[in-house]
Short mmCIF file of all heavy atoms in Angstrom, two decimals:
data_model
loop_
_atom_site.label_atom_id
_atom_site.label_comp_id
_atom_site.label_asym_id
_atom_site.label_seq_id
_atom_site.Cartn_x
_atom_site.Cartn_y
_atom_site.Cartn_z
N MET J 329 -83.85 2.70 -62.66
CA MET J 329 -84.84 3.21 -63.61
C MET J 329 -86.04 2.31 -63.88
O MET J 329 -87.22 2.72 -63.86
CB MET J 329 -84.17 3.56 -64.96
CG MET J 329 -85.02 4.29 -65.93
SD MET J 329 -84.21 4.43 -67.52
CE MET J 329 -84.62 2.89 -68.25
N LEU J 333 -90.16 3.13 -63.77
CA LEU J 333 -90.21 3.49 -65.21
C LEU J 333 -91.19 4.60 -65.51
O LEU J 333 -90.87 5.54 -66.26
CB LEU J 333 -90.45 2.25 -66.01
CG LEU J 333 -90.14 2.41 -67.52
CD1 LEU J 333 -88.73 2.90 -67.79
CD2 LEU J 333 -90.34 1.05 -68.22
N PHE J 336 -89.71 7.96 -64.72
CA PHE J 336 -88.54 8.28 -65.57
C PHE J 336 -88.99 8.67 -66.98
O PHE J 336 -88.40 9.52 -67.63
CB PHE J 336 -87.53 7.15 -65.59
CG PHE J 336 -86.69 7.11 -64.34
CD1 PHE J 336 -87.05 6.33 -63.26
CD2 PHE J 336 -85.52 7.89 -64.25
CE1 PHE J 336 -86.28 6.32 -62.14
CE2 PHE J 336 -84.75 7.88 -63.11
CZ PHE J 336 -85.14 7.12 -62.03
N LYS J 337 -90.08 8.04 -67.43
CA LYS J 337 -90.62 8.38 -68.76
C LYS J 337 -91.21 9.77 -68.72
O LYS J 337 -90.98 10.62 -69.59
CB LYS J 337 -91.73 7.34 -69.13
CG LYS J 337 -92.41 7.63 -70.44
CD LYS J 337 -93.34 6.51 -70.83
CE LYS J 337 -94.03 6.77 -72.15
NZ LYS J 337 -95.23 7.65 -72.01
N ALA J 340 -88.51 12.33 -68.73
CA ALA J 340 -87.94 12.52 -70.07
C ALA J 340 -88.80 13.41 -70.91
O ALA J 340 -88.32 14.33 -71.61
CB ALA J 340 -87.80 11.14 -70.74
N VAL J 346 -88.42 14.91 -74.57
CA VAL J 346 -88.21 13.76 -75.43
C VAL J 346 -89.52 13.43 -76.15
O VAL J 346 -90.59 13.35 -75.51
CB VAL J 346 -87.70 12.56 -74.60
CG1 VAL J 346 -87.63 11.29 -75.46
CG2 VAL J 346 -86.36 12.87 -73.95
N ASP J 347 -89.42 13.23 -77.44
CA ASP J 347 -90.62 12.85 -78.23
C ASP J 347 -90.80 11.31 -78.11
O ASP J 347 -89.94 10.57 -78.56
CB ASP J 347 -90.39 13.28 -79.68
CG ASP J 347 -91.58 12.96 -80.57
OD1 ASP J 347 -92.57 12.38 -80.06
OD2 ASP J 347 -91.51 13.29 -81.79
N PRO J 348 -91.95 10.88 -77.55
CA PRO J 348 -92.12 9.41 -77.32
C PRO J 348 -92.52 8.65 -78.58
O PRO J 348 -92.54 7.40 -78.55
CB PRO J 348 -93.22 9.38 -76.29
CG PRO J 348 -94.04 10.63 -76.51
CD PRO J 348 -93.10 11.66 -77.08
N LYS J 349 -92.79 9.36 -79.67
CA LYS J 349 -93.32 8.65 -80.87
C LYS J 349 -92.39 7.55 -81.35
O LYS J 349 -91.19 7.76 -81.55
CB LYS J 349 -93.53 9.65 -81.99
CG LYS J 349 -95.01 9.86 -82.34
CD LYS J 349 -95.21 10.76 -83.51
CE LYS J 349 -95.64 12.15 -82.99
NZ LYS J 349 -95.12 13.28 -83.75
N GLY J 350 -92.97 6.35 -81.52
CA GLY J 350 -92.19 5.19 -82.05
C GLY J 350 -91.21 4.59 -81.05
O GLY J 350 -90.35 3.82 -81.46
N LYS J 351 -91.30 4.99 -79.78
CA LYS J 351 -90.36 4.42 -78.81
C LYS J 351 -91.12 3.76 -77.67
O LYS J 351 -92.21 4.22 -77.31
CB LYS J 351 -89.50 5.54 -78.17
CG LYS J 351 -88.61 6.27 -79.16
CD LYS J 351 -88.12 7.58 -78.62
CE LYS J 351 -87.66 8.48 -79.75
NZ LYS J 351 -87.65 9.90 -79.43
N ASN J 352 -90.56 2.70 -77.11
CA ASN J 352 -91.19 2.12 -75.91
C ASN J 352 -90.81 2.94 -74.68
O ASN J 352 -89.95 3.80 -74.76
CB ASN J 352 -90.90 0.61 -75.80
CG ASN J 352 -89.43 0.34 -75.53
OD1 ASN J 352 -88.73 1.14 -74.86
ND2 ASN J 352 -88.96 -0.80 -76.04
N ASP J 353 -91.48 2.64 -73.55
CA ASP J 353 -91.28 3.43 -72.34
C ASP J 353 -89.81 3.50 -71.90
O ASP J 353 -89.33 4.52 -71.51
CB ASP J 353 -92.15 2.91 -71.18
CG ASP J 353 -93.63 3.12 -71.44
OD1 ASP J 353 -93.97 3.73 -72.51
OD2 ASP J 353 -94.45 2.71 -70.60
N LYS J 354 -89.17 2.34 -71.99
CA LYS J 354 -87.77 2.28 -71.56
C LYS J 354 -86.89 3.15 -72.43
O LYS J 354 -85.99 3.87 -71.97
CB LYS J 354 -87.31 0.83 -71.61
CG LYS J 354 -86.06 0.61 -70.83
CD LYS J 354 -85.68 -0.87 -70.75
CE LYS J 354 -84.22 -0.98 -70.40
NZ LYS J 354 -83.60 -2.20 -70.78
N GLU J 355 -87.16 3.12 -73.73
CA GLU J 355 -86.36 3.95 -74.65
C GLU J 355 -86.56 5.43 -74.36
O GLU J 355 -85.61 6.22 -74.40
CB GLU J 355 -86.72 3.61 -76.10
CG GLU J 355 -86.12 2.32 -76.58
CD GLU J 355 -86.78 1.81 -77.88
OE1 GLU J 355 -87.86 2.30 -78.28
OE2 GLU J 355 -86.24 0.85 -78.43
N VAL J 356 -87.79 5.81 -74.07
CA VAL J 356 -88.08 7.22 -73.77
C VAL J 356 -87.31 7.61 -72.49
O VAL J 356 -86.64 8.65 -72.42
CB VAL J 356 -89.57 7.46 -73.57
CG1 VAL J 356 -89.90 8.89 -73.11
CG2 VAL J 356 -90.36 7.13 -74.85
N ALA J 357 -87.46 6.77 -71.45
CA ALA J 357 -86.80 7.05 -70.17
C ALA J 357 -85.29 7.16 -70.32
O ALA J 357 -84.64 8.09 -69.80
CB ALA J 357 -87.15 5.96 -69.14
N GLU J 358 -84.71 6.25 -71.11
CA GLU J 358 -83.27 6.27 -71.29
C GLU J 358 -82.84 7.54 -72.05
O GLU J 358 -81.81 8.13 -71.76
CB GLU J 358 -82.81 5.03 -72.13
CG GLU J 358 -82.59 3.85 -71.21
CD GLU J 358 -82.45 2.52 -71.96
OE1 GLU J 358 -82.71 2.45 -73.16
OE2 GLU J 358 -82.15 1.52 -71.25
N GLU J 359 -83.66 7.95 -73.03
CA GLU J 359 -83.30 9.16 -73.73
C GLU J 359 -83.32 10.41 -72.80
O GLU J 359 -82.52 11.30 -72.98
CB GLU J 359 -84.26 9.36 -74.93
CG GLU J 359 -83.69 10.32 -75.96
CD GLU J 359 -84.56 10.45 -77.21
OE1 GLU J 359 -85.15 9.39 -77.64
OE2 GLU J 359 -84.68 11.56 -77.70
N GLY J 360 -84.23 10.39 -71.83
CA GLY J 360 -84.26 11.48 -70.88
C GLY J 360 -82.96 11.55 -70.08
O GLY J 360 -82.35 12.62 -69.92
N LEU J 361 -82.50 10.39 -69.63
CA LEU J 361 -81.24 10.36 -68.85
C LEU J 361 -80.05 10.76 -69.73
O LEU J 361 -79.12 11.43 -69.30
CB LEU J 361 -81.02 9.00 -68.21
CG LEU J 361 -81.99 8.62 -67.11
CD1 LEU J 361 -81.65 7.26 -66.52
CD2 LEU J 361 -82.01 9.67 -65.97
N LYS J 362 -80.14 10.35 -71.03
CA LYS J 362 -79.05 10.72 -71.95
C LYS J 362 -78.99 12.24 -72.12
O LYS J 362 -77.95 12.87 -72.07
CB LYS J 362 -79.34 10.05 -73.31
CG LYS J 362 -78.23 10.19 -74.30
CD LYS J 362 -78.42 9.24 -75.48
CE LYS J 362 -77.63 9.65 -76.69
NZ LYS J 362 -78.28 10.62 -77.52
#
Side-chain angles (χ1 to χ4, degrees):
M329 190 186 83
L333 196 54
F336 281 93
K337 177 175 181 275
V346 172
D347 181 358
K349 246 183 260 145
K351 296 164 199 157
N352 66 33
D353 290 359
K354 195 173 161 203
E355 284 165 346
V356 175
E358 274 166 353
E359 200 175 321
L361 291 181
K362 188 168 160 273

